[in-house]
Amino acid sequence: MWKNYTLIAWRNLKKHRAYAFINVVGLTLGIAACLMIGLYVQDELSYDRHVPDGEQVYRVNQYVTDNGAAETWAWTGGGLGPAMQRDLPQVEAVARLAGASGSMRRLAEDGTLRVFRETDFYYTDSAINDVLKPAFILGDPAAAFDKLNAVVLSASAAERYFGDENPLGKTLEFVQQGTITLEVTGVVADVPENSHLTYDFLASFGAHKQMYGVPTESEYASYWWPVSYTYVRLPDAQAAATLEAALPEFSARNREDGERYVPTLEALHDIYLYSEATSGPSATGNAATVRIFGFIALAILVLACINFMNLSTARSAQRAREVGVRKSLGAERTQVAMQFLGESIFMSVVALVLAVAVVEMLLPAFNDLAGRAIDIDYGANVTYWMGIVALVLFTGVLAGAYPAFYLASFRPTEVLKGLMTRTGGHAGVRKGLVVFQFAVSVVLIVGTTVVLRQLDYLRDADLGFDQEQTVVLRLGSGLEWEELEDQLEQQAQVVSVSSSTLAPGYGGTSSLPYRTGAAWNDENATGDTGHQHVDVGYFEMLGIPVLAGRTFSEDRPADGGVRPDNGSPYFHIFEQGHVVNEAFARANGWTPETALGERVRMTTYENGVYYTDLRGTIVGVVGDYHQRSLRSEILPMVFTPAQNAFGHMGGNGIVKLAPGNAADAMAMIRGVWQEVAPDQPFEASFLDQNVQNLYVREAQLGRVVTAFAFIGIVIACLGLFGLVSYAAERRTKEIGIRKVLGASVPGLTGLLMRDFLVLVGVATVIATPVAYVAMDRWLQTFAYQVDVGLGVFVLAGIVASVIAAATVSYQAIKTARRNPVTALRYE
């Protein structure tokens, strides 16, 4: 039976080549777009699936409520995990991972020094083998973390430092806050890229204590102090629900202000797409983006299916006699319907074969566009093949169901008498489908326009500081900053040099939630604020205006403050000079002038211990600037000197260059670095490029949305072109009569175009509220955004109308210019 349907379908396609071309091209583009987007979505949903029994693993976050605000933090104190395992029976195992970055060095036996800056370094517990279960290639997992200075390497890190040598038992030097020697006790498989947490080095927590000078036998007391990320393994989802309910009481029992810092659970498989926690180990994805791509894929496929439905019903007059003859010879309605449905599925299969070829050809370009490394493993990716089969059936049935049952419903008596050929079929349904197609097209045009406008805004927004000709140097521990600074300032290409904890624009602020109080002794002060150490000349270099008072100066070393003589091992400095931004002054009810001389105390406090206590007097107020990305509002900020009672605290050197060749200037900086710090890795970048890198995902989204919006519009235009062709063919005789009666070519062209342009206008009206809601939701992810004004929708309607007019005009003009004698002989 299906063989006969296939043969009939093939003959019909050969007979009506133009119809077949439009449908096959449309379906091919639709299916190819679906397959590529499907691969992208599958990649996004695959994050952290490499962890064995990962559905039992949860990260412990902290839900913090303070002064009317609420926020979730990904990091926790070092004491939280062990306390949970001790007090809460649902917890089977706990692993802490404390991130670090620094220089890793290995002096080989042949005298070769291998040194790299490493950022994927974590101190951890041996329980990581029970929680995240890294796959060991070398070494004994059970004993890998027994030694105080043990370190486990990833396979790529082992190759980077040891080549083909067996690294077990060999040593590396890690330079962070100090220098420690680590012994390699194992090698594990590389963590795949689709993971929210990647690591190249896993060192024991004993090494963490050694680095920070903490006694080996001591325990981490703080539940809050940001030591680590905490992961737990639980028996099942029910245990997770029970544990979640018990955590508020657990927090209140263990902390004086436990109701403000409540631990929460986040499933491992939800972290990448759904986490709202700040200070995570890496950038996460966006479920909204995945939904946007899913909508685009479905919209493109539906547009292609609508083309098939419209063209099939439009051709109903041509196939009505065929249906009438078949029915008069005894064919059942179901048989006729199955024939046409078979044609649809056959065409879908043909389109699928072409679509797979298109995907193979365009996948490298798509990876470049979306910033991915997606590959198709036909042998292993069962989900992909299942998706292909489902897509063929879905497309074939969706595209062919309505035409099949519509054509099968023809009555043979009416058809053979010629009544059906004069009715024109379901014109109202076709018009509704055209409206739907162009409504989707308008949504795609609006979405593309808004995304591109927001990207332009992100690129061109005034961040409140001068980012041109500025180089950021990552400073490692042990580097002689003063010597490097002096050497750089002597170079003719250098205008000025300074340093800061984090670079402006993209660096964020200190991850510690400092609490501020305008009153010096106000122990209960509330209100979070950002904090940053900055060096002399920082504000002047970046062109940040001073609104009142002064900034830090080499002539005022007392601004660095003193360490109190209270025996505290934590970060306490008194009598500092503080510079604040205008947002800080405003939050405290001050003007820039009245803020001068006010005393400020910033503390982090838990269970009777002050982990941070910074006290000082405001000596200056500077203008607001964007320390973080434009997704976040400008925070109240307190700046303290990078050179203080603890030494130099600037983690980034900032070099302002004179106008000139950037490559030569960077080579000069590298040369100076190698003279001053030959054993430290050189890591430098331009500030403006770093700022733009904040919006890589948005730029990728913009490129992908633009590309697929174009595909969707092309498909809609293909269908419209086909409909105009059949409409013109149906009205050939009418047009001939009108020409004989004196109608002009422009008038006839307008007659053919008018109906379709009216449909585009209706589509624009329908699409406007849908597009507004969708793009407004996306823009809400940015604290600073463009306005979605009426002009965007007017522009989208004009663009859709121009596209429709261009599509219709060719066939309309061709028909209008036809010789009326030929037209009158038609039929």
Side-chain angles (χ1 to χ4, degrees):
M1 179 177 69
W2 285 105
K3 182 179 179 180
N4 293 334
Y5 292 157
T6 303
L7 288 174
I8 295 170
W10 178 246
R11 289 170 187 160
N12 273 300
L13 293 178
K14 288 179 65 179
K15 184 178 179 181
H16 304 284
R17 289 185 176 86
Y19 156 81
F21 175 81
I22 291 174
N23 270 323
V24 169
V25 169
L27 287 174
T28 298
L29 289 175
I31 293 174
C34 267
L35 291 178
M36 281 194 284
I37 292 176
L39 288 169
Y40 172 87
V41 171
Q42 184 185 47
D43 185 62
E44 288 286 277
L45 296 175
S46 68
Y47 269 70
D48 298 309
R49 305 287 166 170
H50 65 284
V51 176
D53 303 317
E55 68 279 358
Q56 297 176 241
V57 178
Y58 295 79
R59 186 174 71 190
V60 183
N61 299 327
Q62 291 188 87
Y63 182 69
V64 182
T65 53
D66 181 28
N67 200 30
E71 189 177 12
T72 301
W73 298 335
W75 43 253
T76 68
L80 179 61
M84 288 179 64
Q85 188 165 28
R86 182 182 64 245
D87 294 354
L88 301 168
Q90 297 85 5
V91 178
E92 291 185 341
V94 173
R96 299 165 296 178
L97 288 100
S101 62
S103 299
M104 189 70 71
R105 302 189 298 213
R106 189 225 170 184
L107 184 63
E109 294 175 359
D110 61 0
T112 304
L113 177 66
R114 297 185 183 181
V115 55
F116 300 94
R117 179 165 183 79
E118 302 292 355
T119 56
D120 287 340
F121 182 103
Y122 289 91
Y123 301 99
T124 190
D125 305 290
S126 59
I128 193 173
N129 292 322
D130 302 315
V131 180
L132 298 181
K133 299 184 177 181
F136 272 76
I137 299 172
L138 295 173
D140 178 11
F145 299 99
D146 287 352
K147 295 182 179 180
L148 294 179
N149 65 335
V151 66
V152 173
L153 311 184
S154 69
S156 57
E159 182 180 1
R160 185 157 64 244
Y161 288 93
F162 297 97
D164 296 330
E165 298 178 54
N166 185 339
L168 294 183
K170 294 183 168 61
T171 59
L172 294 165
E173 278 190 343
F174 184 52
V175 183
Q176 187 197 356
Q177 189 158 312
T179 301
I180 57 174
T181 300
L182 300 171
E183 180 183 339
V184 179
T185 57
V187 176
V188 297
D190 288 344
V191 179
E193 290 185 5
N194 55 347
S195 173
H196 85 282
L197 176 72
T198 58
Y199 46 79
D200 278 332
F201 301 86
L202 294 172
S204 68
F205 250 107
H208 184 269
K209 294 176 180 179
Q210 183 180 346
M211 176 66 78
Y212 287 91
V214 178
T216 304
E217 67 279 0
S218 67
E219 296 294 336
Y220 293 93
S222 174
Y223 288 45
W224 165 86
W225 184 260
V227 168
S228 67
Y229 302 111
T230 301
Y231 295 83
V232 297
R233 181 172 287 274
L234 308 176
D236 50 40
Q238 180 57 48
T242 304
L243 179 59
E244 187 92 51
L247 286 174
E249 188 276 331
F250 164 83
S251 182
R253 186 172 70 249
N254 285 279
R255 293 199 52 166
E256 290 178 355
D257 50 358
E259 69 282 353
R260 290 182 47 244
Y261 297 88
V262 179
T264 62
L265 299 181
E266 186 163 43
L268 177 68
H269 293 166
D270 290 344
I271 291 174
Y272 176 72
L273 278 183
Y274 301 101
S275 181
E276 296 181 356
T278 61
S279 305
S282 64
T284 55
N286 189 330
T289 300
V290 173
R291 286 192 289 269
I292 288 172
F293 282 140
F295 164 78
I296 292 173
L298 183 61
I300 289 175
L301 187 60
V302 169
L303 290 177
C305 292
I306 287 175
N307 282 356
F308 186 96
M309 295 163 66
N310 266 343
L311 294 177
S312 296
T313 54
R315 293 180 64 248
S316 60
Q318 295 180 336
R319 302 199 67 178
R321 192 172 296 275
E322 173 192 343
V323 174
V325 171
R326 288 182 180 277
K327 281 197 166 185
S328 65
L329 293 176
E332 296 290 337
R333 177 174 177 173
T334 304
Q335 291 177 303
V336 176
M338 292 302 292
Q339 174 200 320
F340 290 114
L341 199 59
E343 288 184 21
S344 172
I345 293 175
F346 173 76
M347 193 174 294
S348 182
V349 171
V350 172
L352 173 66
V353 173
L354 296 174
V356 170
V358 169
V359 170
E360 284 287 354
M361 182 174 61
L362 296 182
L363 191 57
F366 176 76
N367 280 332
D368 290 340
L369 204 66
R372 297 285 159 154
I374 300 171
D375 194 15
I376 306 174
D377 187 347
Y378 290 102
N381 199 341
V382 178
T383 305
Y384 183 76
W385 281 109
M386 290 174 63
I388 286 178
V389 173
L391 200 56
V392 172
L393 295 176
F394 174 79
T395 305
V397 172
L398 179 64
Y402 174 70
F405 289 103
Y406 167 61
L407 293 171
S409 68
F410 290 176
R411 296 179 182 178
T413 54
E414 293 180 354
V415 170
L416 295 178
K417 287 178 181 179
L419 299 176
M420 204 67 190
T421 59
R422 289 194 294 269
T423 64
H426 290 186
V429 174
R430 287 201 302 278
K431 288 181 179 179
L433 293 175
V434 170
V435 168
F436 179 81
Q437 276 191 309
F438 272 87
V440 172
S441 298
V442 169
V443 171
L444 292 175
I445 292 170
V446 170
T448 303
T449 304
V450 171
V451 169
L452 294 180
R453 282 185 59 194
Q454 179 67 10
L455 286 174
D456 286 341
Y457 174 75
L458 296 177
R459 255 192 312 268
D460 302 332
D462 181 8
L463 301 181
F465 62 90
D466 178 18
Q467 54 185 294
E468 301 301 322
Q469 295 293 116
T470 305
V471 174
V472 179
L473 300 172
R474 190 73 179 95
L475 307 180
S477 177
L479 181 137
E480 294 296 331
W481 165 245
E482 289 78 8
E483 182 180 354
L484 179 64
E485 183 181 26
D486 289 342
Q487 291 291 332
L488 287 171
E489 286 177 338
Q490 295 174 25
Q491 306 302 313
Q493 294 154 290
V494 174
V495 175
S496 59
V497 182
S498 189
S499 65
S500 64
T501 312
L502 299 163
Y506 72 96
T509 65
S510 172
S511 60
L512 305 180
Y514 286 98
R515 303 176 59 74
T516 62
W520 180 256
N521 293 316
D522 187 357
E523 301 286 350
N524 299 311
T526 60
D528 288 345
T529 185
H531 169 250
Q532 174 144 299
H533 301 289
V534 300
D535 215 339
V536 170
Y538 174 83
F539 301 107
E540 292 78 6
M541 168 193 291
L542 297 172
I544 299 169
V546 180
L547 304 181
R550 62 175 177 83
T551 59
F552 305 126
S553 166
E554 291 181 350
D555 298 331
R556 298 177 182 269
D559 281 348
V562 297
R563 297 179 70 171
D565 187 19
N566 58 11
S568 172
Y570 301 110
F571 193 49
H572 295 185
I573 305 178
F574 296 171
E575 300 174 23
Q576 282 188 299
H578 290 173
V579 172
V580 301
N581 66 353
E582 189 176 9
F584 181 88
R586 191 167 51 248
N588 286 278
W590 304 322
T591 66
E593 291 74 20
T594 60
L596 298 179
E598 292 286 348
R599 306 183 79 184
V600 175
R601 181 183 184 188
M602 297 181 291
T603 64
T604 50
Y605 175 84
E606 179 184 350
N607 287 358
V609 177
Y610 281 98
Y611 290 94
T612 304
D613 194 349
L614 303 178
R615 307 181 186 186
T617 302
I618 296 176
V619 299
V621 180
V622 296
D624 290 337
Y625 70 93
H626 289 275
Q627 178 64 29
R628 303 182 296 175
S629 80
L630 293 172
R631 297 185 191 90
S632 306
E633 294 184 359
I634 293 176
L635 280 176
M637 289 285 295
V638 174
F639 302 94
T640 56
Q643 191 67 42
N644 58 36
F646 279 79
H648 184 259
M649 307 293 288
N652 292 274
I654 304 175
V655 182
K656 176 69 73 172
L657 300 172
N661 187 292
D664 290 346
M666 187 65 82
M668 174 273 296
I669 294 173
R670 180 187 289 272
V672 172
W673 179 282
Q674 289 175 343
E675 285 183 17
V676 175
D679 60 343
Q680 295 228 17
F682 177 72
E683 187 177 338
S685 55
F686 284 96
L687 178 59
D688 55 357
Q689 186 58 55
N690 292 340
V691 171
Q692 289 307 310
N693 288 341
L694 283 174
Y695 310 110
V696 167
R697 288 181 180 272
E698 284 76 16
Q700 292 167 351
L701 175 64
R703 293 194 296 267
V704 173
V705 168
T706 302
F708 284 106
F710 176 77
I711 292 172
I713 292 167
V714 167
I715 292 172
C717 290
L718 278 173
L720 188 60
F721 181 83
L723 282 178
V724 173
S725 300
Y726 283 109
E729 184 180 345
R730 228 176 22 247
R731 301 178 71 174
T732 299
K733 199 164 188 176
E734 174 196 343
I735 291 170
I737 294 171
R738 286 179 181 272
K739 284 199 77 172
V740 169
L741 294 176
S744 65
V745 170
L748 292 172
T749 301
L751 178 69
L752 289 170
M753 294 175 62
R754 183 180 58 208
D755 290 344
F756 291 102
L757 293 180
V758 168
L759 296 179
V760 173
V762 173
T764 301
V765 172
I766 293 172
T768 294
V770 176
Y772 177 82
V773 171
M775 297 319 300
D776 184 64
R777 277 189 165 185
W778 180 72
L779 287 172
Q780 292 307 314
T781 60
F782 298 89
Y784 301 89
Q785 56 194 247
V786 295
D787 291 326
V788 184
L790 183 62
V792 173
F793 303 98
V794 173
L795 176 65
I798 292 173
V799 170
S801 299
V802 169
I803 291 171
T807 305
V808 172
S809 60
Y810 169 77
Q811 188 63 38
I813 293 171
K814 178 182 174 184
T815 304
R817 295 182 63 185
R818 184 178 295 177
N819 190 322
V821 175
T822 305
L824 293 173
R825 288 176 179 171
Y826 184 73
E827 299 179 353

